[in-house]
């Protein structure tokens, strides 16, 4: 396959960026999208040019590092896939492909396609955990009865890999889907119950502080999320937050 | 968490948006029930409609409700404006190539635009009818359909409405009908996203209720604006013929 790539190049956080055009040829349809970028970078290095910086790690759809806005969609045209799991057969020969970084004030660009998604870490740090007593007589988690439905829903929420596609695709750059997944995975389980009110309040406060936009329920995040995290989680977080306003004393 | 969270948090804004929006949906139903009486023509219809208009402008409970409605509209509009401004700030640099139609509906992405159209409609609509009823000279109905003289003459809003959509009385009648219908289409789109969105914001949507909420939202956003829109068309047509 021969393709024309239009890629966002930006030398550093404060540099002015622009879309640059690069032709690539002899691309196999079986390559992953990142492998195709590897080919381009190899070519750029040979030509003595600066390769395109992009995030990646596992390349098997589980780490959430890869992040590219491809042809107007987060992680490209596929559904339920990350960029590393997107294959070149999803494109046609001779196509022009636009590649941009996640765009959100809360995800500042470090270089080219690499953004700083530390805001997500800070949201988790604000409350996305369970405080475990390490006194030595900690109860076995399996000893707690958990309804199957709740366990399944908590598990589904926990499959969020923190990639940030939800923010990137949301017209408001809202982080509600991510935050609600992290709130839900714990709120649904007895282990998370005691800190539920404090957790949701702190995580929402941190989310607002990071400068993410406000959710307007367009539902784009759910469609583009590689893990199919459901909007139901956002509704649950809305409930949890409202409940917390009445039940918490602080 | 500070006590002001319920006012300042992004989630609180959603709650207020959803709450006022759903309240306004209820208001629409009430308003529609009133308008549908315009299908009854003749003196009986005129009398009944004017009685109803009197009740709506004088009953203390309705008065309170109408103030809640005005406040809801204002709040909904201002909150919406704040959200729009903040959300624009959350993405200072736009995408060079974006394809939002792949993952969301047009209405859901243009609630601000639709809302602005509706606000303009509400303002003109209130100048045309509400303000006339309250502040200016209006014709009166002095007798009931049986010809009995009324103790207190009734403000004749019915005639104002009929004249407004009558080309013989109002040179802009056709334009008024068209703009009215266009506004109802806008409200239909606004509701097609807004109705279910309000429930989602208030946390009602879950596996159990999602389908019924979505379905009611679709039905509401089609049936209510359609019934509203048919009335001026009907009034125009019967008066031209
Ligand atoms: S909710 Fe989905 S899109 Fe958002 S960070 Fe998690 S996995 Fe990525
Ligand atoms: S590189 Fe790990 S999910 Fe794509």
């Amino acid at each position: 396959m021969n393709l024309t790539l239009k890629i966002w190049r930006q030398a550093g956080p404060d540099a002015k960026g622009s879309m640059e055009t690069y032709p690539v040829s002899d691309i196999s349809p079986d390559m992953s999208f990142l492998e195709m970028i590897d080919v381009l970078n190899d070519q750029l290095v040979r030509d003595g040019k600066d390769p395109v910086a992009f995030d990646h790690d596992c390349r098997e759809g589980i780490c959430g590092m890869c992040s590219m806005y491809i042809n107007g969609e987060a992680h490209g045209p596929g559904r339920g896939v990350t960029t590393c799991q997107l294959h070149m057969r999803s494109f046609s020969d001779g196509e022009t492909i636009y590649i941009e970084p996640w765009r959100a004030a809360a995800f500042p660009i470090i270089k080219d396609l690499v953004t700083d998604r530390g805001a997500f870490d800070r949201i988790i740090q604000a409350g996305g955990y369970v405080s475990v007593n390490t006194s030595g007589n900690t109860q076995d988690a399996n000893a707690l009865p958990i309804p199957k439905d709740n366990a399944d829903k908590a598990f589904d929420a926990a499959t969020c890999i923190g990639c940030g596609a939800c923010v990137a695709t949301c017209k408001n750059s809202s982080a509600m889907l991510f935050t609600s997944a992290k709130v839900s995975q714990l709120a649904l389980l007895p282990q998370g119950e005691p800190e539920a009110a404090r957790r949701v309040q702190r995580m929402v406060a941190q989310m607002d502080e990071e400068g993410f936009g406000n959710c307007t329920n367009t539902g784009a995040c759910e469609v583009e999320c590689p893990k199919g995290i459901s909007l139901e989680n956002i509704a649950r977080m809305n409930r949890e937050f409202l409940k917390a306003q009445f039940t918490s004393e602080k | 968490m500070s006590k002001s969270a319920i006012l300042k948090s992004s989630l609180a804004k959603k709650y207020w948006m959803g709450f006022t929006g759903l309240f306004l949906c209820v208001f629409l139903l009430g308003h529609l029930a009133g308008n549908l009486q315009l299908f009854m023509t003749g003196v009986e219809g005129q009398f009944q409609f004017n009685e109803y208009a009197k009740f709506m402008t004088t009953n203390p409970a309705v008065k309170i409700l109408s103030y809640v409605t005005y406040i809801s509209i204002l709040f909904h509009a201002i909150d919406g404006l704040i959200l729009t401004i903040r959300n624009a700030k959350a993405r200072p640099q736009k995408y060079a190539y974006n394809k939002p139609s792949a993952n969301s509906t047009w209405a859901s992405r243009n609630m601000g635009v639709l809302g602005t159209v509706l606000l303009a409609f509400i303002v003109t609509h209130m100048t045309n009818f509400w303000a006339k009823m309250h502040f200016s000279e209006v014709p009166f109905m002095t007798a009931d359909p049986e010809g009995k003289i009324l103790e207190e003459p009734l403000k004749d809003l019915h005639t104002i409405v009929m004249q407004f959509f009558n080309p013989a009385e109002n040179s802009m009648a056709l334009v008024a009908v068209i703009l009215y219908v266009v506004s109802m289409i806008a409200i239909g789109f606004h509701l097609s996203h807004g109705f279910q969105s309000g429930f989602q914001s208030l946390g009602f949507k879950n596996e159990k209720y999602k389908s019924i909420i979505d379905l009611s939202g679709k039905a509401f956003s089609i049936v209510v604006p359609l019934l509203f829109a048919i009335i001026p068309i009907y009034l125009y047509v019967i008066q031209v013929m």
Side-chain angles (χ1 to χ4, degrees):
Chain A
M1 297 171 82
N2 298 326
L3 302 160
T4 307
L5 305 177
K6 297 211 180 266
I7 305 180
W8 182 260
R9 300 303 309 262
Q10 182 172 335
D14 302 315
K16 209 174 122 36
S18 61
M19 297 297 286
E20 301 296 337
T21 310
Y22 303 96
V24 284
S25 43
D26 293 331
I27 298 294
S28 153
D30 296 330
M31 278 182 183
S32 79
F33 202 85
L34 296 187
E35 283 165 339
M36 185 273 294
I37 303 282
D38 291 338
V39 171
L40 167 70
N41 276 346
D42 192 49
Q43 189 182 302
L44 289 174
V45 171
R46 275 174 216 274
D47 296 347
K49 291 189 190 137
D50 192 20
V52 178
F54 64 99
D55 265 329
H56 62 110
D57 188 12
C58 70
R59 297 210 176 194
E60 54 184 12
I62 54 171
C63 75
M65 273 313 276
C66 56
S67 50
M68 290 183 195
Y69 208 76
I70 303 161
N71 277 353
E73 284 185 82
H75 295 303
R79 290 287 170 260
V81 289
T82 50
T83 302
C84 59
Q85 297 284 290
L86 177 70
H87 290 88
M88 295 317 293
R89 51 180 168 271
S90 309
F91 300 88
S92 41
D93 192 23
E95 198 173 332
T96 301
I97 305 175
Y98 286 77
I99 310 168
E100 294 176 76
W102 287 172
R103 297 216 183 270
F107 288 164
I109 293 174
I110 299 172
K111 187 172 191 248
D112 297 338
L113 303 173
V114 180
T115 54
D116 178 358
R117 284 169 279 175
F120 271 10
D121 298 335
R122 291 186 289 275
I123 292 175
I124 303 252
Q125 282 157 10
Y129 50 80
V130 170
S131 308
V132 176
N133 191 341
T134 50
S135 58
N137 50 10
T138 323
Q139 198 184 357
D140 187 303
N142 288 326
L144 289 170
I146 299 170
K148 174 86 166 83
D149 280 350
N150 285 11
D152 287 349
K153 283 188 176 158
F155 185 84
D156 286 347
T159 58
C160 162
I161 52 177
C163 64
C166 43
V167 175
T169 200
C170 173
K171 79 182 246 291
N172 312 314
S173 301
S174 166
M176 287 282 281
L177 194 65
F178 165 80
T179 310
S180 70
K182 299 300 173 195
V183 164
S184 288
Q185 76 184 45
L186 298 173
L188 283 160
L189 299 176
Q191 290 92 336
E193 181 59 33
E195 291 167 303
R198 190 183 76 170
R199 176 180 310 115
V200 70
Q201 289 181 324
R202 288 193 180 172
M203 289 176 78
V204 168
Q206 188 64 36
M207 175 182 86
D208 289 347
E209 198 165 300
E210 297 290 347
F212 292 106
N214 296 270
C215 171
T216 57
N217 303 325
T218 70
C221 53
E222 182 187 53
V223 177
E224 298 289 347
C225 170
K227 297 298 155 185
I229 301 294
S230 157
L231 286 184
E232 225 183 88
N233 290 298
I234 297 186
R236 184 178 298 107
M237 179 164 83
N238 294 343
R239 282 200 296 280
E240 289 284 327
F241 188 81
L242 201 55
K243 197 166 76 187
Q245 300 306 316
F246 296 109
T247 55
S248 82
E249 300 196 354
K250 270 202 237 155
Chain B
M1 166 75 42
S2 68
K3 287 160 212 79
S4 60
I6 200 66
L7 286 174
K8 284 209 302 229
S9 156
S10 62
L11 258 61
K13 290 214 176 51
K14 283 171 65 100
Y15 299 145
W16 286 114
M17 211 60 193
F19 189 71
T20 50
L22 290 176
F23 174 77
L24 292 171
C25 286
V26 178
F27 157 77
L28 278 182
L29 285 181
H31 195 318
L32 180 62
N35 286 17
L36 287 174
Q37 299 175 41
L38 286 164
F39 277 121
M40 295 182 291
T41 44
V43 196
E44 271 99 43
Q46 184 186 9
F47 183 68
Q48 164 145 2
F49 186 77
N50 287 336
E51 281 268 272
Y52 170 78
K54 181 178 170 195
F55 173 78
M56 293 308 278
T57 42
T58 52
N59 182 291
V62 177
K63 266 229 160 93
I64 295 172
L65 222 51
S66 67
Y67 282 110
V68 179
T69 309
Y70 305 145
I71 293 170
S72 293
I73 293 173
L74 272 182
F75 203 96
H76 197 78
I78 294 170
D79 205 21
L81 183 68
I82 296 174
L83 284 175
T84 309
I85 293 171
R86 287 220 185 159
N87 289 345
K89 277 201 196 126
R91 176 165 299 148
Q93 165 98 45
K94 306 279 173 260
Y95 288 106
Y97 179 13
N98 203 1
K99 209 164 77 187
S101 58
N103 48 44
S104 53
T105 61
W106 180 86
S108 76
R109 285 178 271 118
N110 289 282
M111 292 300 273
V113 177
L114 290 166
T116 311
V117 171
L118 294 178
L119 195 63
F121 169 75
I122 293 170
V123 171
T124 48
H125 184 67
M126 285 181 76
T127 354
N128 291 336
F129 301 112
W130 178 88
K132 275 204 190 119
M133 183 73 179
H134 280 82
F135 307 123
S136 57
E137 294 269 309
V138 286
F140 280 93
M141 218 184 163
T142 48
D144 73 5
E146 273 99 58
K148 255 202 356 235
I149 301 297
L150 295 166
E151 279 174 30
E152 209 185 309
L154 268 179
K155 283 189 175 184
D156 193 2
L157 185 64
H158 188 266
T159 301
I160 296 180
V161 173
M162 295 304 282
Q163 285 176 350
F164 190 76
F165 293 116
N166 183 354
E169 304 273 354
N170 175 6
S171 59
M172 302 289 277
L174 186 60
V175 179
V177 174
I178 292 170
L179 286 181
Y180 194 100
V181 172
V182 169
S183 304
M184 288 310 109
I185 294 173
I187 213 170
F189 276 106
H190 200 74
L191 288 169
S192 74
H193 175 67
F195 187 95
Q196 56 81 27
S197 177
F199 283 99
Q200 165 78 356
S201 289
L202 293 170
F204 284 108
K205 266 191 157 185
N206 58 17
E207 219 181 303
K208 194 162 151 202
Y209 298 122
K210 184 180 184 302
S211 44
I212 178 83
I213 290 172
D214 287 351
L215 200 71
S216 330
K218 281 209 184 86
F220 194 92
S221 67
I222 294 170
V223 175
V224 172
L226 191 70
L227 288 174
F228 268 112
I230 289 175
I231 297 163
I233 299 176
Y234 171 76
L235 297 183
Y236 183 86
V237 170
I238 57 164
Q239 295 189 101
V240 187
M241 290 202 308

